[in-house]
Amino acid sequence: MKIYSWNVNGLRAILKKGNLQEFIATEQPDILCLQETKAQQGQAEVDFLEYEELWNSAERAGYSGTAIFTKVKPLSVRYGFPEDITANIAGWEDDFGDARKEGRVLTAEFDGFFLIDTYVPNEKDDLGRLKYRELVWDKALLAYMKQLDAEKPVIVCGDFNVAHEEIDLARPKQNEGHAGFTKEGRQGMTNYLSNGFIDTFRALHPDTIQYSWWSYRGGARAKNVGWRIDYFLASERLRERIIAAEICDEIMGSDHCPIMLELK
């Protein structure tokens, strides 16, 4: 089974360019998780007949949102975080604000695992969302991952908006403390990996320098001045089922490229 994740930075835009259609025809993913769809279901001319569509769109038009296209029928679908998780996060009601309406978490249950598609909030250039990210979001996502993992293994994929280690971005010294490379955001990723989950790409490629996002400015992609901020995390007990974990940086259409996880 091949699962792909891709922040498409606007589903309608990437469909108009034809990149997504070409990608699906060539790669034939069994499951495709998208982030930053920026569309409600029905707004984008999606015509992938082999796939069931699952959507969690933002209430705000043209913003955020997640979607899953799957050939494998899910056993159940869950939207956002459950209330029993958020009720235990201090400051949730005060700090979460409109993020509850941003369509950032979509979960599909399959026979052998739960699959969480997530678009983690950016800390913002002025770090205005840093405390929310650290004290609210990362705690909620980890608690949710652990809750599901008690039932069956979990796979979490998407744009986490953080480079975990210096190897994960081209210019770590210049970006230290900036959005996407703060100690708080990096600690959030460390916390996931300290609680029974693995970074599947690093598990298979411990020393590989490869990126999944590039700024549109200054020809960053052509120069490969990028960041690895898109991840497949998985329950430790899925390690033996992992055949491949790849970054598909040759595929164009967004400022992110797709990533792939193949399971036995």
Side-chain angles (χ1 to χ4, degrees):
M1 173 182 285
K2 288 187 177 182
I3 308 171
Y4 286 80
S5 174
W6 196 359
N7 180 324
V8 292
N9 195 6
L11 183 55
R12 286 169 289 184
I14 199 170
L15 285 168
K16 187 175 182 180
K17 290 182 283 190
N19 298 97
L20 186 60
Q21 299 93 316
E22 181 182 354
F23 164 75
I24 287 178
T26 302
E27 303 299 330
Q28 287 291 305
D30 295 295
I31 304 171
L32 173 61
C33 298
L34 302 179
Q35 303 90 44
E36 209 170 355
T37 54
K38 299 182 180 180
Q40 300 283 336
Q41 187 171 11
Q43 285 186 313
E45 294 183 10
V46 179
D47 189 23
F48 305 125
L49 300 180
E50 295 180 81
Y51 294 88
E52 180 174 345
E53 300 177 26
L54 312 173
W55 292 73
N56 190 14
S57 301
E59 292 184 12
R60 174 179 160 190
Y63 181 72
S64 190
T66 50
I68 298 175
F69 294 77
T70 176
K71 291 181 179 179
V72 185
K73 187 171 183 60
L75 302 177
S76 67
V77 182
R78 310 180 189 193
Y79 303 88
F81 293 124
E83 289 186 7
D84 62 333
I85 292 293
T86 58
N88 293 319
I89 303 295
W92 183 264
E93 291 297 331
D94 295 334
D95 298 332
F96 195 35
D98 289 340
R100 284 173 293 183
K101 304 175 182 179
E102 293 175 358
R104 291 183 179 273
V105 177
L106 179 59
T107 305
E109 178 186 5
F110 298 97
D111 282 334
F113 55 88
F114 287 104
L115 176 62
I116 304 173
D117 178 14
T118 186
Y119 177 35
V120 175
N122 190 297
E123 296 160 337
K124 297 198 172 190
D125 288 344
D126 65 357
L127 302 184
R129 228 175 185 181
L130 174 61
K131 287 300 180 184
Y132 158 69
R133 164 72 181 267
E134 175 194 9
L135 300 177
V136 180
W137 177 274
D138 281 337
K139 287 186 176 181
L141 181 57
L142 178 56
Y144 184 44
M145 290 161 62
K146 292 169 70 174
Q147 181 186 78
L148 294 181
D149 190 56
E151 296 183 45
K152 63 174 69 173
V154 174
I155 297 169
V156 189
C157 68
D159 175 2
F160 280 74
N161 266 311
V162 65
H164 187 212
E165 303 291 353
E166 289 191 358
I167 192 176
D168 295 316
L169 70 165
R171 295 173 176 170
K173 299 305 181 186
Q174 295 94 316
N175 286 288
E176 188 169 355
H178 293 189
F181 202 55
T182 63
K183 60 182 177 58
E184 294 89 348
R186 296 169 68 189
Q187 183 62 48
M189 180 59 70
T190 296
N191 292 343
Y192 299 137
L193 303 181
S194 301
N195 278 275
F197 299 93
I198 60 172
D199 175 350
T200 59
F201 180 79
R202 276 286 164 250
L204 271 62
H205 309 284
D207 302 314
T208 298
I209 296 175
Q210 201 170 1
Y211 308 124
S212 65
W213 175 81
W214 304 261
S215 170
Y216 281 130
R217 303 174 197 169
R221 188 157 188 174
K223 299 172 185 175
N224 200 28
V225 179
W227 300 54
R228 187 175 76 97
I229 59 175
D230 301 88
Y231 297 80
F232 271 103
L233 307 184
S235 299
E236 172 66 43
R237 60 192 187 277
L238 286 175
R239 185 187 291 265
E240 296 306 315
R241 290 185 57 191
I242 298 172
I243 298 172
E246 305 296 338
I247 297 175
C248 309
D249 53 10
E250 76 284 0
I251 295 175
M252 309 298 286
S254 170
D255 52 347
H256 296 250
C257 71
I259 59 174
M260 184 272 287
L261 179 68
E262 184 175 6
L263 298 175
K264 296 178 185 175

